[in-house]
Amino acid sequence: MNSSSESVVVNIGGIEYSIRTDIDIELTLKIAKYVDQKMMEMKNNNSIRDDVKITVLTALNIAGELFEYRSKWEKVQQKLVKIQDKISNFT
């Protein structure tokens, strides 16, 4: 993370947003592109046309992805601890 905030303009769902961010500009642009793509997928795969509902459903899907990855990461960490214990007991 950078120690100072920078501004970047992103386009999500056809709307431009000026965002101040402490993270890398390129990463911010990638995140915005990902959110935009997810919103387009949601819009194309549903009969829902209400932008607020599309936005909320997209946020829920992205949050679901985050929770899934966190759960997988926790399992990997637990496996690593077990491996470290086995290595410690072996030596």
Side-chain angles (χ1 to χ4, degrees):
M1 271 196 196
N2 297 335
S3 60
S4 62
S5 294
E6 296 183 64
S7 289
V8 62
V9 176
V10 299
N11 189 310
I12 301 173
I15 300 172
E16 285 191 349
Y17 298 91
S18 181
I19 299 174
R20 292 196 60 77
T21 181
D22 292 336
I23 63 173
D24 180 66
I25 296 293
E26 290 302 315
L27 180 57
T28 301
L29 292 170
K30 282 182 181 180
I31 293 168
K33 183 177 180 181
Y34 182 79
V35 171
D36 186 54
Q37 289 171 342
K38 288 298 195 177
M39 285 187 66
M40 288 301 118
E41 287 174 19
M42 184 63 66
K43 207 175 255 191
N44 292 334
N45 294 332
N46 288 288
S47 59
I48 300 168
R49 295 295 159 226
D50 183 324
D51 287 339
V52 173
K53 287 182 182 178
I54 293 289
T55 302
V56 170
L57 291 173
T58 301
L60 288 171
N61 282 343
I62 292 171
E65 290 174 3
L66 173 63
F67 276 72
E68 184 180 330
Y69 287 121
R70 280 183 177 171
S71 175
K72 288 178 182 178
W73 176 246
E74 287 172 5
K75 289 176 185 174
V76 167
Q77 286 180 313
Q78 290 169 358
K79 286 180 182 180
L80 286 173
V81 167
K82 288 179 183 179
I83 291 169
Q84 287 173 331
D85 288 344
K86 286 181 180 180
I87 290 171
S88 294
N89 292 333
F90 184 70
T91 57

